[in-house]
Amino acid sequence: MSPANVELAGTEQVYTESDLAPFLETLITWREGDFRRRVSHAPPGVLSEIRLLLNEVADRREHLANELGRVRREIAKEGRFDERLSPGPGVGAWAESVGSVNDLIDALVTPVSGAADVIDAVAKGDLSRKIDVDRGSRGEVRRLGKAINGMVDQLSLFSSEVTRVTRDLGTEGKLGGRANLRGMSGSWRDLTEAVNTMSDRVSAQVRDIAEVTTSVAKGDLSRKVTVDAVGEMLELKNTVNTMVDQLSAFAEEVTRVAREVGTEGQLGGQAQVRGVSGVWKDLTDNVNFMANNLTSQVRQIAAVSTAVAQGNLTKKITVDAQGEILELKDTLNTMVDQLSAFADEVTRVAREVGTEGRLGGRAEVKGVSGVWKDLTDNVNFMANNLTYQVRNIAQVTTAVANGDLTRKIDVDAQGEILELKSTMNTMVDQLSAFASEVTRVAREVGTEGRLGGQAQVRGVSGVWKDLTDNVNFMANNLTSQVRQIAAVSTAVAQG
């Protein structure tokens, strides 16, 4: 039995107001929320027991308040949602209060933590997380879970549709894709419609640009980008159109120069493309450089060819050249060298044979082939034939001059040389016939004394006929004279 019970069992103790005053003051302080105050003293007896009990209640109440304040501070200010009230020395309602508060915190923190995890995952691009809204969830907690999950669903749908459209458009190059608007509302629908608008505009712009660039690739420079555009797309549109203009101007100028040089033969043309730079300027300069080079090369080739055609073999191609033009240059220069050597040799042979009368000369042109070798061989063949023919004719005429009429021209001949051969041989035959007839008449008249003979040389004319006639006239005169002398002599002899 406690001392208070002992005293109550005995005589009843009476307390004054001054004894109760500390209790009243402490209770007033507690009522105002300050549980640090304690009942400082009490007279022995029941009041002393009450003081101890009240102070214990104050200790437990202060512990609970401190824990609430600490947890509030940790959760509200520090954001540490894992903090909970630590159990105090009390049991029963005290322990139930701590557990209730902790349960309340759990009930509030769990959906918030779940929402934070989902939102954190969403912020990191993970749309696979959701809040587990179980059947026990009620009220605002359930509404929060469903709202978060609905947001994730909307984001997931928006993300999948936008990803599909951007993949079709940006990765696979399939223009005209549109995101599905079903199940979307509010900002999500606005965003999806904005994506669709972007896809439509980009598709129209890219398709127009693609059509123009395709036309350019096919050589059609009449198309331009006409689709509405702003920003960098407008810059790209203007750039492509400028490119088309420059290509068109470049093509027209190159075509003009090519037509003038290649078709009309007007050398010296230059492409004039204004406002170009970079590759286009380089291409224009290269075309002009090519035209200049080609003009210089062709003009010099033409000059050398003209000189060759006019018989001037002193000129050569000296312009710089590469590739096939260099091969043509070397070929023409080689041709000039061969023509020059051929001309020199033919001139030498012609001079020796025709002017100096030295037969047997041969043209020697080294390194020639084809027509030039054939021409050289033909000249040499001609020189050989002419040498044989002239020498054979000379031998016959020398024999005739020496009184030898047994030789005849037997070399092969054609044309006028054949006519000369035939004439010479006919002359030898006529001379031979004339000589034999004159010899016969002279032998008959002079040796055998047979007068009246006449030389018969058939087919002669000119001097040969005159000589024959003169011999016959002489023979007739001599015959007449001798016969008359003989007649007179015979008459004189007969007396």
Side-chain angles (χ1 to χ4, degrees):
M1 185 177 293
S2 65
N5 293 333
V6 173
E7 292 182 357
L8 288 173
T11 59
E12 185 175 349
Q13 187 175 354
V14 178
Y15 297 100
T16 63
E17 288 186 0
S18 61
D19 293 332
L20 297 175
F23 290 91
L24 179 60
E25 293 172 358
T26 299
L27 288 173
I28 292 173
T29 302
W30 289 355
R31 186 192 63 184
E32 300 299 328
D34 183 6
F35 293 100
R36 293 172 298 175
R37 181 76 176 266
R38 297 292 184 270
V39 180
S40 59
H41 63 278
V46 175
L47 282 183
S48 179
E49 291 293 329
I50 292 174
R51 183 183 75 83
L52 293 175
L53 291 174
L54 288 175
N55 286 340
E56 287 181 5
V57 171
D59 290 339
R60 295 178 183 181
R61 189 64 188 86
E62 185 180 11
H63 169 75
L64 181 59
N66 289 337
E67 282 299 295
L68 288 172
R70 180 184 66 79
V71 171
R72 179 188 65 82
R73 184 173 61 253
E74 293 291 336
I75 293 176
K77 293 185 178 181
E78 303 296 333
R80 297 171 58 185
F81 286 180
D82 57 345
E83 287 295 324
R84 297 295 182 270
L85 278 68
S86 61
V91 294
W94 295 108
E96 291 177 3
S97 297
V98 172
S100 296
V101 171
N102 286 337
D103 290 343
L104 175 62
I105 294 174
D106 287 337
L108 293 174
V109 167
T110 298
V112 173
S113 295
D117 292 339
V118 172
I119 293 172
D120 185 56
V122 170
K124 293 178 180 178
D126 180 7
L127 299 178
S128 63
R129 297 284 298 276
K130 283 190 177 182
I131 297 176
D132 185 14
V133 182
D134 56 20
R135 295 180 179 178
S137 299
R138 295 287 186 273
E140 296 297 322
V141 172
R142 186 177 182 84
R143 190 169 70 88
L144 174 62
K146 293 182 69 175
I148 295 292
N149 289 342
M151 179 193 72
V152 173
D153 289 337
Q154 290 277 324
L155 276 175
S156 181
L157 178 60
F158 173 74
S159 175
S160 64
E161 285 298 294
V162 170
T163 300
R164 180 181 61 80
V165 172
T166 54
R167 184 180 62 248
D168 289 347
L169 183 62
T171 304
E172 300 176 5
K174 294 192 293 185
L175 302 178
R178 293 180 62 81
N180 193 350
L181 296 173
R182 292 180 182 178
M184 296 187 186
S185 61
S187 295
W188 304 123
R189 188 178 184 87
D190 294 340
L191 285 171
T192 306
E193 288 178 346
V195 169
N196 287 337
T197 301
M198 177 199 71
S199 176
D200 291 340
R201 290 179 65 93
V202 169
S203 296
Q205 292 164 350
V206 172
R207 280 173 175 165
D208 197 20
I209 292 172
E211 289 176 358
V212 172
T213 53
T214 300
S215 297
V216 171
K218 293 179 179 178
D220 180 7
L221 300 177
S222 64
R223 297 284 302 275
K224 289 273 191 83
V225 182
T226 58
V227 68
D228 290 335
V230 294
E232 292 189 47
M233 276 297 185
L234 177 59
E235 294 179 7
L236 177 59
K237 169 185 174 180
N238 293 334
T239 300
V240 171
N241 287 340
T242 301
M243 178 195 73
V244 171
D245 289 336
Q246 291 178 338
L247 275 176
S248 181
F250 175 74
E252 289 176 358
E253 283 298 292
V254 171
T255 300
R256 179 183 62 80
V257 172
R259 184 179 62 250
E260 290 177 355
V261 174
T263 304
E264 301 172 3
Q266 298 177 5
L267 301 179
Q270 291 282 286
Q272 302 291 333
V273 186
R274 296 179 181 177
V276 294
S277 61
V279 173
W280 305 126
K281 186 175 186 302
D282 294 340
L283 284 172
T284 305
D285 292 342
N286 288 335
V287 167
N288 288 335
F289 181 74
M290 177 196 69
N292 281 335
N293 273 359
L294 188 60
T295 297
S296 300
Q297 293 163 351
V298 171
R299 282 178 174 168
Q300 195 165 49
I301 290 172
V304 172
S305 301
T306 301
V308 171
Q310 294 174 349
N312 181 8
L313 299 177
T314 62
K315 297 190 71 173
K316 281 198 180 179
I317 301 170
T318 58
V319 68
D320 290 335
Q322 301 291 330
E324 293 187 46
I325 297 294
L326 177 59
E327 293 178 8
L328 177 60
K329 169 186 173 181
D330 293 339
T331 300
L332 283 173
N333 286 341
T334 301
M335 182 194 75
V336 171
D337 290 336
Q338 291 178 339
L339 278 175
S340 180
F342 175 74
D344 290 343
E345 284 298 292
V346 171
T347 301
R348 179 183 63 79
V349 171
R351 184 178 65 250
E352 290 178 356
V353 173
T355 303
E356 300 174 3
R358 290 189 291 162
L359 301 177
R362 291 180 60 81
E364 299 292 339
V365 185
K366 295 181 180 180
V368 294
S369 60
V371 173
W372 306 127
K373 187 175 185 304
D374 294 341
L375 285 173
T376 305
D377 292 342
N378 289 335
V379 168
N380 289 333
F381 181 75
M382 178 196 71
N384 284 336
N385 275 356
L386 187 61
T387 296
Y388 294 148
Q389 292 164 352
V390 171
R391 282 177 176 171
N392 195 217
I393 293 171
Q395 289 172 357
V396 172
T397 53
T398 299
V400 170
N402 292 329
D404 182 4
L405 299 177
T406 63
R407 299 284 300 274
K408 280 196 180 180
I409 301 170
D410 55 10
V411 69
D412 290 335
Q414 300 291 331
E416 292 186 47
I417 297 295
L418 176 59
E419 293 178 6
L420 176 61
K421 169 185 173 181
S422 299
T423 301
M424 291 291 293
N425 287 338
T426 300
M427 180 194 75
V428 171
D429 290 338
Q430 290 176 342
L431 279 174
S432 180
F434 174 73
S436 64
E437 283 297 295
V438 170
T439 299
R440 179 182 63 79
V441 170
R443 184 178 63 251
E444 289 177 352
V445 173
T447 303
E448 300 176 358
R450 289 189 295 168
L451 300 176
Q454 287 284 289
Q456 301 293 327
V457 185
R458 295 178 181 178
V460 295
S461 61
V463 173
W464 305 124
K465 188 175 184 302
D466 292 341
L467 285 173
T468 302
D469 291 342
N470 288 334
V471 168
N472 287 333
F473 181 74
M474 179 192 70
N476 282 332
N477 278 349
L478 184 60
T479 297
S480 298
Q481 292 168 354
V482 170
R483 282 179 177 173
Q484 194 171 22
I485 292 172
V488 171
S489 298
T490 300
V492 170
Q494 292 176 355

